[in-house]
Amino acid sequence: MNQINAYLFDIGNVILGFDFSIAVRRLREFGITHDAPLSHITTTKDRYEAGQIDDEEFVELAIEELGFSGDGTEFITIWQEIFHENMAMVASIEDLAKQGHPLYLLSNTNGLHVEYMMREHPIFEVFTGGIYSHEAKSMKPERPMYQQAIDRFGLTPSETLYIDDLPANIETGKAMGFMTHQYDLNDHEAFLAVIR
């Protein structure tokens, strides 16, 4: 492996774990009885994360498609409060930041989640910047999103370690020339072995 001069992190199931079942339980408090309520907004969610609709339109459509009886503020709270920190990775990122390593984010996500994560999780303050699918108008594993990271942050892929949990995203990372590590929430030690 080459010398690692920068780190490019996915967020979900790497820095933050997430559990949509929390949202499902809370949605039931607002009159939603579908067995899998979030499946009713899959297309809308995908359009939102791809930057095809904005926060306001997403909330309006989701409320309508779900038959949600609350208001927009209540829906946003439910939509946002699904994350928990992966404390092992947070500690590793803090160590990398203290050592002066450039740290960047590359995530399929949406405006409401980014706003919440940046507000509620101070670990994101150590990152120099991020490429998010809703802003990039592209989603991993599509190549344009990776290229935006290379261009915006001046990354040299062969000197950058890209960390993601999904095999398809890792494969594109490899194809783009990055050093890669497929992260497993249950095996943080494997990540530590790579960065050593």
Side-chain angles (χ1 to χ4, degrees), residues 37-77:
L38 294 180
S39 68
H40 289 256
I41 61 169
T42 298
T43 299
T44 298
K45 172 185 172 291
D46 290 348
R47 290 177 60 215
Y48 181 38
E49 294 197 340
Q52 296 171 7
I53 57 176
D54 63 16
D55 296 349
E56 184 177 349
E57 188 174 0
F58 167 70
V59 172
E60 289 175 359
L61 287 170
I63 285 174
E64 180 182 342
E65 291 167 3
L66 288 167
F68 182 74
S69 65
D71 61 25
T73 300
E74 289 166 321
F75 176 80
I76 289 169
T77 298

Side-chain angles (χ1 to χ4, degrees), residues 25-26 33 53 80 110 160 166:
R25 285 195 299 274
R26 295 179 69 185
T33 58
I53 57 176
Q80 290 179 323
N110 57 74
T160 302
L166 296 179

Side-chain angles (χ1 to χ4, degrees), residues 2 10 29 33 56 64 79 91 104 106 115-116 118 134 161 184 186 193:
N2 295 344
D10 177 35
E29 299 169 14
T33 58
E56 184 177 349
E64 180 182 342
W79 180 252
Y104 304 96
L106 185 70
E115 186 277 326
Y116 177 82
M118 300 302 152
H134 70 289
L161 180 64
D184 181 346
N186 299 310

Side-chain angles (χ1 to χ4, degrees), residues 63-124:
I63 285 174
E64 180 182 342
E65 291 167 3
L66 288 167
F68 182 74
S69 65
D71 61 25
T73 300
E74 289 166 321
F75 176 80
I76 289 169
T77 298
I78 292 170
W79 180 252
Q80 290 179 323
E81 293 181 351
I82 61 168
F83 297 100
H84 61 275
E85 288 185 349
N86 173 9
M87 297 310 297
M89 182 58 87
V90 166
S92 292
I93 290 168
E94 288 172 342
D95 288 343
L96 291 171
K98 287 174 188 170
Q99 295 164 24
H101 295 286
L103 306 173
Y104 304 96
L105 297 162
L106 185 70
S107 180
N108 286 346
T109 188
N110 57 74
L112 290 172
H113 281 167
V114 170
E115 186 277 326
Y116 177 82
M117 291 185 289
M118 300 302 152
R119 171 168 44 89
E120 297 294 329
H121 297 282
I123 189 59
F124 292 107

Side-chain angles (χ1 to χ4, degrees), residues 3-46:
Q3 176 71 32
I4 302 171
N5 290 326
Y7 291 80
L8 184 63
F9 283 88
D10 177 35
I11 297 177
N13 284 333
V14 177
I15 303 171
L16 301 180
F18 60 89
D19 183 358
F20 275 108
S21 72
I22 296 169
V24 170
R25 285 195 299 274
R26 295 179 69 185
L27 286 170
R28 297 204 189 288
E29 299 169 14
F30 290 87
I32 294 172
T33 58
H34 318 305
D35 287 340
L38 294 180
S39 68
H40 289 256
I41 61 169
T42 298
T43 299
T44 298
K45 172 185 172 291
D46 290 348

